[in-house]
Amino acid sequence: MAASFFTSPRGFGALLVLLAGGAVLSGCAGMSETVAPAFADPAKYELYDCKQLEAERKTLAKRTDELRALMEKAETGAGGAVVSELAYRNDYVAVRGSSQMAEDAWRRNRCRESPPEATPPATPLSPAATAKPASKTGKASR
C-alpha cells in the first residue's frame, strides 16, 4: 500500500511539498547572524554621547539574552525550531544589529565603562530613631 501511495500523482505531489517545506525551513535555520546590521539603522547612535550609549548597550544586551533564552525554550518543544524561527528570530536579528551599531559608536567615540557608583555604608539606626513617636493624646500610634 505504501508503494502505491508514492507512485500515485497525489502522493508524489505531497512528497514534493514536504521536501520543499523542509528545504525552506532549513534555509531559515542556517541564516547567518552577519546579516544583523542590515536590520538596524546605521545612523541611530551617531548623536549619542557615552552615557547614553552605555545605557543603550546594557539594554540591548539584556534584550538579546532574553530573546536567546526564549528561543532556546521554544526549541525544546515539538516543532520548537520552527516556532523559535517564526516568533523570535526577526527580533533577535534586529536587536543584534542595533547592538552592533551601538558597539561601533562606542568604539568611535572612545567611550569607557563608568565605574560602579560607590554606595555609602549604612549607618545603624538607634532604636529610638526607628520607634514611632506617640500621638499628642499620649497613645501609641498603630
Side-chain angles (χ1 to χ4, degrees), residues 27-41 45 60 63-68 71 84-102:
C28 292
M31 186 168 63
S32 172
E33 295 193 23
T34 58
V35 298
F39 290 94
D41 180 14
Y45 302 110
L60 290 169
R63 182 66 180 148
T64 301
D65 291 341
E66 288 173 357
L67 287 169
R68 188 178 302 127
M71 289 171 69
S84 173
E85 289 295 321
L86 292 176
Y88 303 115
R89 178 57 104 182
N90 288 341
D91 289 339
Y92 180 73
V93 170
V95 169
R96 292 268 307 164
S98 293
S99 180
Q100 201 168 10
M101 295 298 173

Side-chain angles (χ1 to χ4, degrees), residues 75-131:
E75 288 174 1
T76 61
V82 174
V83 171
S84 173
E85 289 295 321
L86 292 176
Y88 303 115
R89 178 57 104 182
N90 288 341
D91 289 339
Y92 180 73
V93 170
V95 169
R96 292 268 307 164
S98 293
S99 180
Q100 201 168 10
M101 295 298 173
E103 287 295 325
D104 290 345
W106 179 264
R107 276 186 248 108
R108 241 187 343 271
N109 293 345
R110 295 183 179 94
C111 297
R112 300 279 183 241
E113 293 283 335
S114 61
E117 293 181 19
T119 56
T123 57
L125 297 175
S126 65
T130 59

